[in-house]
Amino acid sequence: MASTGFFFFFFIRMALVNICLPIIIIECHKIISVSTSNNNNGGGGGAVFVFGDSFFDPGNNNYIKTSSLDQANFSPYGRTHFHFPTGRFSDGRIIPDFILEYAKLPVISPYMAPNSQRFYKIGANFASAGAGALVETFQGSVISLETQIRYHKRVENRLRKRYGDREARNTLSKAVYLFSIGTNDYLNPYMITNSTRFNPSYSNSHLVHIVIANLTIAIKDLHKRGGRKFGFINLGPLGCLPGIRIIPNPTTDSGACIESASLLAKLHNQALANTLETLATQLQGFKYSLYDFHTNLEARLRHPFKYGYKQGKTACCGTGRFRGTFSCGGKRGVKEFKVCEKPQEYVFWDSYHLTETTYKQMAHQMWNQKPASPGTYNLKTLFQLP
């Protein structure tokens, strides 16, 4: 039953990729606010520029030609904090929202929102659900990393035009650049083939090399424009996502994680750590924070009660086994879905994304964590650096 729903989901993705569905455009930047009056986290202000995928997307896909597979602007998304759907793939806030709060900055509108340019002095969020470092990843229905970097160039030009070169350089050099990218590059083949056998156009090592190379190009481009402070999250255990667990596995019916997918994440994470360490020696003034999203998510899946959850494998919203069929909201081909009463008791909100509670815990760790190695920083320190 679950495998049927999974196959249907990806058939729908391919069918809808070039269809512009009616979408709900929510001017959430007019009414969303995050209180910082009692915040004692020691943020240093400045600007934040956000790049990536659905973990960081505040609703950019509300404003592009895509399908409901890459949108979350319908109920029950957003029910916990905002009490309406904003385009975030969660029941409430996501990691950038909490980081902005800790840094004592207001919520930043999606870059694609009509009036987002009013906020460029404090940053911009370019992240797009479904995006990857590869242009080919869900091409035509998302904003690729390459395009996101190009949009940042437009922001830079607007800053220079409005504030002058000196002030624009100051803003860009003091800003923090946040990245969540890569998950979709590796999950794409699984989603298309509905198989545990990974059979992309490249070998595992070659695919990782290309993804990291594209990310490196983006980092160097931003550094050339003045960026100095960067924050990254690595990839979670991809094979443990509810939407991947339900793939028919001929070797077991236990609902175990799909190890081939998780292996790709591990290869990526090692390559990312090595690359950032190298860039720190090559790029003048380059400073970075790297959050171990993989280890921390895995810990919550293995020991949910330790972190305040009651459920680590099954999603709050969806249908089928583990609620792994990506049907939350009933607008993605499969109409049937169930939603839990208490999302805070779940690690996963839907088949691929986390609850606000999980994002909040992780954002707090990112802000306060002890640096994993010499020469790296937590986000709190990174924001405070000149």
Side-chain angles (χ1 to χ4, degrees):
M1 187 72 175
S3 61
T4 301
F6 183 89
F7 176 79
F8 185 62
F9 157 54
F10 292 111
F11 173 80
I12 292 295
R13 170 180 277 281
M14 296 301 107
L16 294 178
V17 68
N18 290 316
I19 298 177
C20 182
L21 298 179
I23 60 176
I24 303 171
I25 303 299
I26 301 173
E27 301 289 340
C28 57
H29 47 276
K30 292 181 179 178
I31 57 180
I32 296 173
S33 64
V34 176
S35 174
T36 59
S37 59
N38 295 318
N39 192 314
N40 294 313
N41 283 297
V48 181
F49 295 104
V50 183
F51 305 85
D53 49 33
S54 54
F55 287 154
F56 282 9
D57 182 4
N60 278 304
N61 284 11
N62 294 352
Y63 303 92
I64 66 174
K65 181 182 179 181
T66 187
S67 78
S68 56
L69 293 172
D70 293 307
Q71 292 176 324
N73 52 6
F74 44 85
S75 180
Y77 288 92
R79 63 184 294 179
T80 297
H81 179 77
F82 304 112
H83 306 298
F84 64 86
T86 65
R88 291 164 172 81
F89 279 79
S90 184
D91 59 303
R93 291 164 290 182
I94 55 179
I95 287 175
D97 295 318
F98 293 108
I99 299 304
L100 288 165
E101 179 179 356
Y102 299 155
K104 300 182 180 179
L105 292 170
V107 168
I108 298 174
S109 301
Y111 170 78
M112 300 300 294
N115 71 343
S116 66
Q117 60 186 280
R118 295 189 304 164
F119 306 96
Y120 288 167
K121 195 70 168 59
I122 59 171
N125 188 324
F126 308 96
S128 170
L134 306 180
V135 174
E136 298 83 1
T137 298
F138 301 130
Q139 189 171 13
S141 59
V142 302
I143 307 169
S144 69
L145 178 61
E146 180 181 74
T147 301
Q148 293 178 36
I149 297 299
R150 188 165 68 247
Y151 287 163
H152 179 270
K153 180 64 176 178
R154 294 182 183 178
V155 171
E156 177 191 357
N157 291 337
R158 287 183 179 272
L159 286 172
R160 294 186 184 281
K161 183 176 181 180
R162 182 168 183 176
Y163 299 104
D165 287 346
R166 181 176 179 180
E167 185 62 26
R169 281 197 304 269
N170 185 56
T171 297
L172 296 171
S173 66
K174 291 185 177 181
V176 173
Y177 300 75
L178 299 178
F179 281 83
S180 167
I181 201 75
T183 293
N184 295 300
D185 297 308
Y186 302 117
L187 290 186
N188 191 12
Y190 290 96
M191 293 177 172
I192 292 175
T193 63
N194 188 36
S195 171
T196 59
R197 182 182 179 185
F198 185 74
N199 188 28
S201 303
Y202 312 105
S203 67
N204 285 3
S205 59
H206 191 196
L207 177 60
V208 170
H209 173 77
I210 296 173
V211 170
I212 294 296
N214 283 5
L215 175 57
T216 301
I217 290 171
I219 295 169
K220 288 184 175 180
D221 194 347
L222 294 171
H223 179 270
K224 185 177 180 180
R225 300 182 204 167
R228 293 296 182 267
K229 300 187 290 184
F230 293 78
F232 303 88
I233 66 171
N234 65 15
L235 304 188
L238 302 182
C240 299
L241 302 175
I244 300 300
R245 280 183 188 267
I246 65 170
I247 297 177
N249 190 341
T251 62
T252 177
D253 192 40
S254 65
C257 300
I258 306 300
E259 290 303 320
S260 54
S262 293
L263 174 61
L264 280 166
K266 292 177 181 178
L267 293 172
H268 172 97
N269 292 345
Q270 185 59 58
L272 175 62
N274 293 342
T275 297
L276 294 177
E277 187 174 340
T278 299
L279 290 175
T281 67
Q282 295 177 343
L283 304 180
Q284 182 179 4
F286 178 83
K287 298 177 177 64
Y288 72 94
S289 171
L290 175 58
Y291 176 65
D292 193 352
F293 186 83
H294 187 283
T295 297
N296 286 291
L297 179 55
E298 193 171 55
R300 285 161 174 78
L301 300 185
R302 290 182 176 179
H303 310 287
F305 289 96
K306 179 179 177 180
Y307 296 90
Y309 304 101
K310 291 185 177 180
Q311 182 52 254
K313 290 184 178 180
T314 298
C316 172
C317 187
T319 193
R321 194 178 190 186
F322 305 121
R323 291 183 184 152
T325 299
F326 192 41
S327 63
C328 185
K331 296 183 180 293
R332 300 188 177 107
V334 178
K335 300 296 184 181
E336 179 186 354
F337 73 96
K338 295 181 180 178
V339 59
C340 67
E341 293 183 3
K342 298 180 179 180
Q344 68 272 19
E345 295 180 351
Y346 287 70
V347 174
F348 289 102
W349 162 248
D350 66 18
S351 308
Y352 299 96
H353 306 98
L354 309 178
T355 59
E356 176 183 275
T357 297
T358 309
Y359 283 132
K360 183 177 183 178
Q361 289 183 8
M362 292 186 164
H364 185 267
Q365 289 179 317
M366 291 171 68
W367 190 258
N368 296 290
Q369 70 179 352
K370 181 179 179 180
S373 60
T376 63
Y377 303 84
N378 59 32
L379 285 183
K380 178 179 179 179
T381 302
L382 205 61
F383 271 88
Q384 293 173 338
L385 291 173

